[in-house]
């Protein structure tokens, strides 16, 4: 075959093909990396943060919240932290959120990734409605559950009596003492982490998890029948119909019909 | 001494602004200064005037985020500045990576790397526009700001202000890439933020202008220029450098011993050409 110079048209087509090919290749590598780094979900965000998916697309990673925080609670994820790069988070065992009443970290956010309206009640900033996470107690390692008297987390809680209460229970082992068990109430807990900071055990027996990770969901099929409010959720419930061999017949026919096999 | 100043005056001023801005940002986090808070992605001047990276905002838009008013004002401030005045001045006067790539280019020339690799560059300068487009596509598909998760610029700048982690590795990678793989590789070929500002600054006012009658064809300007395709007119025609890819770094002006290059305002430069 004779060696021929490439025609302009062929050159153009080849160049376009190469561009598209390389872009596809790079695109997949890039996407895979982004998917990997955004997968870490065990991060505690500043108060007022949007849901994690929206937060990741809205946060511009400027660190103004970090600079506004008077306690150096907030940090930006660094390369090597294995967290979505540059996004703000805090580690309550090191420095918890001290729940400033004026929430300086939220109004400075230029993008609304920290949403002022989510920490506002009746037009006034209200840190008590913040939802950074939820405290979880490990009953195995909490010494209060062993029967040793400790209420460090309860005392540390900024909304004590609401977010954490102490439940008294007779200690059958000794017969004359009481368990004083800390109970976290998910409707009041803001996830500030002061309990985790205060916990006396080597590795904290009470710790903050993102609410999404800490809680289950009953779904619409299980209703508190004695609660009028809860019963309303039935309206959302959709029917799931399973069709099998047996369900072709009505229930009674199906039960009677199978008797034939006995004889 | 006068000669020294004359040959490095803009370089000195650029390093002064680049490092000065870093110090201001650093001071804001470390000592609570309020002159310039935040980082290059988004910041506040004196706690009042917002500035935001328009390319980051574009990725947010592609990702489907709701853009807040503060952000839009900040984007407006930055966009107006570079669109009207500065051109790609961000790249050569603000961006901290510029110091790394300039140093790589300097070492490359010093050790004769350019002679080893030859004049022919194995990559097109249009690569950055492909990456720019790709970043928006990935942002849209993945629902995150794609470049912001890999950007060595924000990584390093954030690192200096808020703590480095392994961010220094990004500096090393870019330095080695520019030194051994591709001349002016990062800033001149790959960086989509530079590509974005190239597109934005097509009409900006401050431009370098060539005076052909003074030119002695020494070509020092073309050697030192990180985007030397924009200097196609050297020794041929008295024209302003109109390409948005020019970073207004002014190295060409300093190295020219014959006053054949100077800064001018766009319209005045054009008038000179038509003789008005």
């Amino acid at each position: 075959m004779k060696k021929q110079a490439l025609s302009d048209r062929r050159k153009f087509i080849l160049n376009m093909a190469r561009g598209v090919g390389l872009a596809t290749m790079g695109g997949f590598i890039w996407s895979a990396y982004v998917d990997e780094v955004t997968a870490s979900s065990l991060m505690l965000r500043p108060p007022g943060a949007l849901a994690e998916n929206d937060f990741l697309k809205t946060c511009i990673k400027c660190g103004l919240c970090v600079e506004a925080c008077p306690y150096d609670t907030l940090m930006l994820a660094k390369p090597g932290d294995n967290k979505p790069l540059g996004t703000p988070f805090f580690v309550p065992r090191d420095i918890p959120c001290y729940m400033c009443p004026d929430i300086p970290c939220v109004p400075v956010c230029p993008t609304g990734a920290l949403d002022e309206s989510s920490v506002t009640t009746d037009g006034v900033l209200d840190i008590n409605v913040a939802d950074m996470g939820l405290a979880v107690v490990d009953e195995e390692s909490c010494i209060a559950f062993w029967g040793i008297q400790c209420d460090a987390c309860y005392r540390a809680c900024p909304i004590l009596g609401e977010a954490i209460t102490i439940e008294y229970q007779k200690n059958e082992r000794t017969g004359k003492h009481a368990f004083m068990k800390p109970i976290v109430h998910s409707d009041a807990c803001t996830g500030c982490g002061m309990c985790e900071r205060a916990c006396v055990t080597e590795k904290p027996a009470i710790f903050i998890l993102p609410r999404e990770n800490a809680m289950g969901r009953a779904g619409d099929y299980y209703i508190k029948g004695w609660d009028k409010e809860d019963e309303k959720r039935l309206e959302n419930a959709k029917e799931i119909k399973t069709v099998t061999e047996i369900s072709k017949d009505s229930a009674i026919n199906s039960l009677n019909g199978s008797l034939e096999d006995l004889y | 001494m006068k000669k020294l100043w004359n040959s490095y005056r803009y370089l000195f001023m650029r390093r002064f602004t680049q490092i000065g801005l870093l110090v201001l940002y650093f001071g804001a986090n470390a000592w609570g200064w309020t002159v310039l808070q935040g980082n290059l992605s988004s910041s506040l001047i004196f706690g009042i005037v917002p500035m935001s990276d328009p390319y980051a905002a574009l990725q947010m838009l592609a990702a489907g985020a709701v853009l807040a008013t503060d952000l839009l004002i900040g984007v407006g401030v930055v966009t107006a500045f570079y669109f009207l005045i500065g051109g790609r001045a961000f790249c050569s006067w603000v961006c901290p990576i510029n110091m790394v790539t300039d140093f790589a280019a300097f070492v490359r020339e010093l050790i004769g790397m350019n002679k080893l690799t030859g004049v022919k560059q194995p990559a097109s300068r249009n690569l950055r526009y492909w990456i720019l487009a790709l970043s928006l596509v990935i942002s849209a598909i993945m629902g995150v700001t794609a470049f912001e998760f890999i950007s060595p610029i924000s990584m390093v700048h954030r690192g200096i202000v808020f703590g480095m982690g392994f961010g220094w590795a990004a500096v090393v990678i870019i330095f080695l890439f520019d030194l051994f793989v591709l001349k002016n590789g990062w800033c001149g070929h790959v960086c989509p933020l530079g590509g974005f500002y190239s597109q934005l600054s097509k009409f900006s006012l401050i431009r370098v202008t060539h005076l052909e009658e003074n030119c002695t064809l020494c070509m020092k300007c073309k050697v030192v220029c990180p985007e030397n395709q924009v200097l196609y007119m050297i020794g041929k025609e008295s024209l302003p450098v109109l390409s948005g890819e020019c970073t207004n770094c002014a190295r060409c002006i300093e190295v020219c011993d014959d006053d054949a290059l100077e800064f001018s305002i766009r319209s005045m430069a054009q008038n000179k050409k038509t003789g008005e």
Side-chain angles (χ1 to χ4, degrees), chain B residues 96-110:
Chain B
I97 293 292
N98 172 256
M99 292 190 263
V100 179
T101 57
D102 272 2
F103 184 57
F106 171 75
V107 176
R108 202 183 160 95
E109 186 67 33
L110 193 74

Side-chain angles (χ1 to χ4, degrees), chain B residues 14-264:
Chain B
R14 275 169 50 215
R15 294 295 175 256
F16 183 78
T17 19
Q18 280 165 338
I19 295 169
L21 288 171
L22 281 179
V23 170
L24 288 179
Y25 278 120
F26 183 84
N29 189 42
W31 306 302
W33 296 356
T34 53
V35 186
L36 198 55
Q37 292 166 289
N39 62 25
L40 291 180
S41 300
S42 194
S43 37
L44 273 176
I45 311 172
F46 291 113
I48 302 166
V49 187
M51 293 194 296
S52 294
D53 175 1
Y55 176 45
L58 200 63
Q59 291 170 69
M60 288 166 66
L61 194 67
V66 182
L67 301 188
T69 324
D70 283 359
L71 178 75
L72 290 175
I73 297 171
V75 165
V77 170
V78 174
T79 309
F81 180 77
Y82 291 118
F83 180 80
L84 291 174
I85 307 163
R88 238 181 103 186
F90 171 82
C91 299
S92 60
W93 292 75
V94 179
C95 183
I97 293 292
N98 172 256
M99 292 190 263
V100 179
T101 57
D102 272 2
F103 184 57
F106 171 75
V107 176
R108 202 183 160 95
E109 186 67 33
L110 193 74
I111 63 176
M113 226 21 233
N114 291 327
K115 289 189 191 98
L116 182 72
T117 53
V119 194
K120 181 95 180 110
Q121 289 268 66
S124 158
R125 286 191 183 264
N126 289 333
L127 186 60
R128 52 186 156 205
Y129 303 119
W130 285 86
I131 295 177
L132 176 62
L134 194 58
S135 72
L136 297 179
V137 172
I138 294 175
S139 295
I141 294 173
M142 308 284 293
V144 291
T145 49
F147 184 63
E148 300 310 302
F149 278 100
I150 60 166
S151 165
I153 305 163
S154 11
M155 214 182 287
V156 168
H157 192 259
R158 233 178 7 242
I160 292 166
V161 183
F162 295 100
M164 202 51 138
F166 279 103
W168 55 266
V171 176
V172 176
I173 291 170
I174 287 184
F175 179 76
L176 294 177
F177 180 71
D178 269 29
L179 183 57
F180 294 124
V181 182
L182 193 60
K183 187 183 181 220
N184 302 125
W186 175 260
C187 298
H189 293 76
V190 176
C191 180
L193 184 59
F196 175 80
Y197 279 124
S198 295
Q199 292 301 310
L200 188 70
S201 57
K202 278 186 169 163
F203 308 99
S204 63
L205 291 177
I206 297 182
R207 301 273 88 173
V208 173
T209 283
H210 179 48
L211 307 164
E212 193 261 325
E213 58 272 24
N214 289 352
C215 182
T216 57
L217 295 175
C218 71
M219 294 298 157
K220 277 187 190 165
C221 52
K222 283 207 163 186
V223 172
V224 84
C225 179
E227 298 276 351
N228 53 24
Q229 76 282 5
V230 307
L231 291 176
Y232 65 91
M233 79 292 287
I234 294 298
K236 295 183 185 123
E237 246 183 307
S238 289
L239 277 178
V241 175
L242 290 180
S243 167
E245 287 171 2
C246 169
T247 66
N248 276 348
C249 74
R251 283 295 285 146
C252 57
I253 301 178
E254 307 173 314
V255 297
C256 184
D257 298 323
D258 311 298
D259 295 327
L261 287 153
E262 62 181 29
F263 268 133
S264 69

Side-chain angles (χ1 to χ4, degrees), chain A residues 49-238:
Chain A
L50 300 174
E52 187 67 11
N53 275 346
D54 290 323
F55 187 81
L56 283 177
K57 65 177 80 161
T58 315
C59 172
I60 201 167
K61 308 169 185 64
C62 66
L64 284 170
C65 52
V66 175
E67 289 179 5
C69 177
Y71 296 102
D72 291 335
T73 299
L74 296 173
M75 295 174 283
L76 291 186
K78 301 186 289 287
D81 284 349
N82 293 325
K83 296 189 163 71
L85 208 56
T87 54
F89 71 103
F90 69 104
V91 180
R93 186 63 162 175
D94 298 337
I95 311 178
C97 169
Y98 286 98
M99 291 181 51
C100 317
D102 56 340
I103 327 180
C105 52
V106 174
V108 290
C109 179
T111 61
L114 303 180
D115 181 14
E116 227 176 304
S117 66
S118 76
V119 282
T120 304
T121 333
D122 303 328
V124 186
L125 284 173
D126 179 8
I127 188 65
N128 284 359
V129 300
D131 175 15
M132 296 168 269
L134 177 60
V136 179
V137 181
D138 172 23
E139 301 182 2
E140 297 294 322
S141 53
C142 174
I143 57 170
F145 280 80
W146 298 359
I148 298 176
Q149 191 192 338
C150 172
D151 56 2
C153 55
Y154 172 73
R155 296 288 161 200
C157 181
I159 28 184
L160 91 174
E162 288 177 52
I164 303 183
T165 54
I166 298 286
E167 189 187 82
Y168 299 94
Q169 203 179 43
K170 189 180 177 189
N171 186 343
E172 299 290 354
R173 186 179 59 81
T174 66
K176 48 190 163 189
H177 298 94
F179 289 110
M180 292 164 69
K181 299 178 175 176
I183 306 292
V184 178
H185 301 276
S186 64
D187 49 342
C189 177
T190 64
C192 72
M194 279 193 243
C195 51
E196 179 176 339
R197 172 88 184 124
C199 184
V200 300
T201 54
E202 184 181 317
K203 189 178 169 212
I206 184 166
F207 44 87
I208 312 297
L209 288 175
R211 199 161 277 252
E212 190 56 34
N213 300 72
M215 290 180 84
R217 194 181 300 113
D220 294 325
Y221 300 109
Y222 301 95
I223 303 288
K224 295 174 193 157
W226 56 91
D227 182 344
K228 279 268 172 293
E229 272 301 301
D230 204 47
E231 251 191 326
K232 284 185 188 156
R233 289 194 299 127
L234 261 179
E235 290 162 18
N236 307 328
K238 290 187 201 83

